[in-house]
Amino acid sequence: VGVGASRVRDMFDQGKKSAPCIIFIDEIDAVGRHRGAGLGGGNDEREQTLNQLLVEMDGFDAAEGVILIAATNRPDVLDPALLRPGRFDRQVVVPNPDIQGRQKILNVHIRRLPLSPDVDVKVIARGTPGFSGADLANLVNEAALLAARKNKRLVTMREFEDAKDKVLMGAERRSMVMTQKEKELTAYHEAGHALVGIFTPGNDPLHKVTIIPRGRALGVTMNLPERDRYSESKMEMKAKIAMIFGGRVAEEIIFGKDNITSGASNDILQATNKARAMVVEWGMSDRLGPLRYSENEEEVFLGRSVTQSKTMSDETAKLIDEEIRLLIDNAEKHARKVLKKNIKHLHSLANALLEFETLSGSEVNDLIKGKKIKINDDVDINSKKTSIPRSNQSKVKEKKIGLNPEPVIGS
């Protein structure tokens, strides 16, 4: 008891003796959380520490030569007394970096890596929207580890792509044993996602589709935006919900209604959450109008989030459910219309996935246009001198995918 307050006094005494200096407090919310949220009144140890911090800050003068800086990820739970003028009255928000920031951060982390000439930092930065500095550092480390496992002397662009897939979609689980029927169902499911995404305006460009299990998913369809995005339109949200239902609808069209599986459980959860947010949070329902109908709001109590229920009439709740159902039904109908119209492409893409297991967005587009798919397989040479793939060490497979080719399972 009293140790925190004593340490605060010592810290400020040292700062004044070392002036001019900067005192930096990381995770200020650990001691600066809103007072009165816990039990124990004024004798709470955390409140004593905060009170001592406030007292010391009040004793500051412009001539002291001491600057106080603090950082937190939870500015919403800080005590209002900390944010008053004369204390932490200047707030600097540090968001995730934009594309230029990501490029500069990547340049810092790759300085000591032996890079192949094909590595383009701009392309990596463009393909990692929403990544923080720590995420980018992890991406570079993963790429270096992948190159080391392959006994490569240089880190190539392929390692960065594989590392990005691992960070975004999870590690591959090639040891997982799947039956032929499960592979076919997964292939049609992911092909349904990909085709609805391609043929529905408003979706991000297709980056990659795979039936190799990653993380907790049996297959993954991944779309990446062409630029950093800070908001989303109603059309784009409807397109995304339709794409989410593409997998389940494809299962139903190919295997019948009685053979649909539980694999779309996460898809249904994502679509329902997005449709509900459109109706109750973002005012995108014509019948309900631009009002917020939030059923639950969170409050911090004893360091935990406590949900408080808000009153809502039965008529309003029923109307909200009807509007959510309308968005979901329209998205499902759109997905079914797109897949029935492009049933030939659905079969072709599913069979290509059964053969190659992973296809990039450009390869899927080539397949839809009837072109040949080219898959480059880098072959490492067991040599102590170098294992960099050379032109004569690379094999190219060319396959013309028809409607029912004999699938080659495995890799």
Side-chain angles (χ1 to χ4, degrees), residues 315-330:
E315 291 80 6
T316 302
K318 182 180 179 182
L319 193 57
I320 288 172
D321 290 339
E322 289 174 357
E323 288 295 282
I324 295 172
R325 165 65 67 182
L326 182 63
L327 286 170
I328 296 294
D329 287 345
N330 288 340

Side-chain angles (χ1 to χ4, degrees), residues 106-115 140 144 155:
L106 284 168
N107 284 327
V108 170
H109 291 299
I110 65 175
R111 282 180 304 182
R112 299 181 180 179
L113 282 184
L115 295 180
V140 174
V155 183

Side-chain angles (χ1 to χ4, degrees), residues 165-166 169-173 210 212-218 220:
D165 292 344
K166 183 178 180 181
M169 301 185 291
E172 290 184 357
R173 292 188 294 162
T210 179
I212 298 174
R214 283 183 177 271
R216 299 173 63 183
L218 297 179
V220 178

Side-chain angles (χ1 to χ4, degrees), residues 214-390:
R214 283 183 177 271
R216 299 173 63 183
L218 297 179
V220 178
T221 301
M222 184 176 166
N223 296 68
L224 278 182
E226 294 178 322
R227 56 176 177 80
D228 291 342
R229 177 172 293 167
Y230 305 103
S231 61
E232 206 171 5
S233 67
K234 184 178 180 180
M235 182 193 77
E236 290 169 342
M237 292 181 189
K238 286 183 174 180
K240 193 162 287 185
I241 295 175
M243 185 191 72
I244 289 173
F245 274 104
R248 181 184 174 90
V249 172
E251 288 183 25
E252 186 179 325
I253 291 174
I254 302 300
F255 300 100
K257 217 166 189 177
D258 293 333
N259 291 318
I260 56 176
T261 66
S262 59
S265 60
N266 189 52
D267 295 341
I268 295 172
L269 175 65
Q270 287 185 40
T272 306
N273 288 342
K274 187 171 282 290
R276 177 172 291 278
M278 289 174 66
V279 173
V280 303
E281 293 182 28
W282 301 324
M284 293 183 177
S285 167
D286 295 333
R287 295 170 67 188
L288 289 167
L291 292 176
R292 182 181 175 90
Y293 297 90
S294 182
E295 292 185 351
N296 298 315
E297 290 191 2
E298 291 187 347
E299 262 189 16
V300 176
F301 178 74
L302 289 176
R304 298 189 301 270
S305 294
V306 180
T307 302
Q308 288 191 341
S309 180
K310 297 292 182 181
T311 57
M312 182 184 296
S313 67
D314 293 339
E315 291 80 6
T316 302
K318 182 180 179 182
L319 193 57
I320 288 172
D321 290 339
E322 289 174 357
E323 288 295 282
I324 295 172
R325 165 65 67 182
L326 182 63
L327 286 170
I328 296 294
D329 287 345
N330 288 340
E332 196 175 7
K333 288 177 184 176
H334 178 78
R336 183 172 281 105
K337 180 181 177 182
V338 168
L339 291 179
K340 285 187 175 179
K341 184 178 179 181
N342 298 280
I343 191 71
K344 179 180 177 180
H345 297 320
L346 180 63
H347 288 296
S348 299
L349 182 52
N351 285 311
L353 285 171
L354 286 170
E355 180 165 1
F356 297 113
E357 291 190 332
T358 299
L359 295 173
S360 66
S362 59
E363 289 165 353
V364 173
N365 289 328
D366 288 344
L367 183 66
I368 291 173
K369 295 174 184 176
K371 297 181 181 178
K372 295 179 181 180
I373 297 181
K374 296 181 180 180
I375 305 291
N376 292 319
D377 287 342
D378 292 334
V379 181
D380 291 334
I381 303 299
N382 293 324
S383 172
K384 293 182 180 179
K385 292 182 179 180
T386 178
S387 59
I388 306 169
R390 301 169 188 161

